[in-house]
């Protein structure tokens, strides 16, 4: 079942559940877990959110989804927050709207941490797309790309051998951080010349 305009897999699952002829038995915890997936994928209903997204959320709330429990589930500890702040403290802004951060070469981070750092950069004023380049725990260099939708980060990551979605993409490379950064900046320069979307 493919629906490109859906906000998330959880929204699709919720829609499918509503079409079952027999009454669906769902616990409050299950409804909460599915709603949490929608909350995460839409960044609190701010991205890729349509009327159907809210209808799915409403259905889950009627089945006992607890939004306060979701808030507690999605909390992070102080050490993780500080670690993410270290990852983005040296970010530079290119073309007025693109944030690029390269982490310290001697530090390794999980793909999830790299992705969360890219999400954080996207919350900064005037930033339309963000890229975080870091050594991963497996030794590869990971680049996590995020966008508000105006810039197609999937195309940029595909040019580096990766992929993803219009607003959420990534790539893993066997090279140094410096080489990955240089390659990304070269592709951003090409993209800027072709599309002219950054000004």
């Amino acid at each position: 079942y493919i629906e490109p305009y859906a906000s998330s897999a959880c929204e699709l699952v919720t829609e499918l559940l509503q079409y079952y002829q027999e009454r669906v038995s769902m616990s409050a915890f299950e409804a909460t877990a599915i709603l949490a997936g929608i909350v995460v994928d839409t960044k609190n209903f701010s991205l890729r959110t349509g009327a159907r997204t809210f209808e799915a959320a409403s259905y889950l709330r009627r089945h006992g989804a607890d939004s306060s429990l979701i808030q507690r589930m999605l909390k992070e500890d102080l050490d993780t927050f500080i670690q993410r702040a270290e990852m983005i403290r040296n970010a530079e802004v290119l073309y007025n709207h693109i944030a690029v951060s390269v982490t310290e070469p001697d530090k390794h981070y999980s793909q999830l941490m790299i992705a969360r750092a890219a999400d954080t950069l996207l919350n900064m004023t005037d930033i339309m797309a963000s890229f975080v380049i870091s050594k991963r725990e497996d030794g590869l260099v990971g680049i996590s790309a995020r966008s508000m939708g105006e810039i197609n980060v999937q195309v940029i990551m595909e040019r580096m051998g990766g992929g993803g979605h219009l607003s959420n993409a990534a790539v893993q490379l066997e090279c140094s951080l410096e080489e990955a950064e240089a390659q990304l900046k070269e592709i951003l320069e090409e993209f800027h010349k072709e599309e002219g979307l950054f000004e």
Side-chain angles (χ1 to χ4, degrees):
Y1 180 54
I2 298 171
E3 175 51 77
Y5 296 101
S7 68
S8 60
C10 289
E11 180 181 325
L12 292 176
V13 167
T14 304
E15 285 192 351
L16 288 172
L17 289 173
Q18 293 177 68
Y19 289 116
Y20 274 88
Q21 296 300 322
E22 299 164 15
R23 195 167 188 281
V24 174
S25 168
M26 187 184 331
S27 72
F29 184 77
E30 289 167 333
T32 300
I34 296 171
L35 183 57
I38 295 174
V39 169
V40 168
D41 283 349
T42 61
K43 293 183 179 40
N44 283 321
F45 296 94
S46 63
L47 289 178
R48 298 185 305 276
T49 307
R52 288 165 63 177
T53 311
F54 289 103
E55 287 167 10
S58 175
Y59 173 82
L60 294 168
R61 287 283 291 154
R62 285 195 303 275
H63 279 79
D66 183 350
S67 52
S68 63
L69 177 57
I70 293 170
Q71 194 172 24
R72 290 197 302 275
M73 287 166 60
L74 298 178
K75 280 190 174 187
E76 63 181 339
D77 59 64
L78 185 58
D79 289 339
T80 304
F81 182 83
I82 292 169
Q83 193 176 33
R84 196 168 73 240
E86 287 175 358
M87 293 176 73
I88 63 174
R89 71 178 173 176
N90 296 322
E92 64 175 313
V93 178
L94 308 173
Y95 310 105
N96 300 319
H97 303 292
I98 310 296
V100 176
S101 182
V102 184
T103 63
E104 299 293 324
D106 58 333
K107 295 193 176 173
H108 294 65
Y109 297 98
S110 69
Q111 187 63 45
L112 178 61
M113 279 299 297
I114 300 169
R116 284 185 171 178
D119 280 333
T120 301
L121 280 174
L122 201 56
N123 291 327
M124 303 301 122
T125 305
D126 294 328
I127 297 302
M128 293 164 54
S130 64
F131 299 86
V132 175
I133 306 170
S134 175
K135 280 279 188 187
R136 291 167 24 127
E137 292 168 335
D138 61 7
L140 294 173
V141 170
I143 302 179
S144 197
R146 295 292 183 272
S147 152
M148 296 300 287
E150 299 93 339
I151 296 170
N152 188 340
V153 292
Q154 175 187 352
V155 172
I156 295 168
M157 291 294 95
E158 282 176 352
R159 290 189 188 182
M160 296 186 75
H165 184 271
L166 166 80
S167 60
N168 186 338
V171 66
Q172 292 82 45
L173 304 167
E174 290 188 51
C175 64
S176 68
L177 290 173
E178 294 79 12
E179 289 168 335
E181 180 182 10
Q183 187 181 353
L184 174 64
K185 286 182 175 179
E186 187 179 322
I187 289 168
L188 288 173
E189 176 67 23
E190 290 170 6
F191 199 78
H192 173 59
K193 286 176 181 172
E194 292 168 13
E195 306 290 335
L197 294 177
F198 301 160
E199 304 287 34

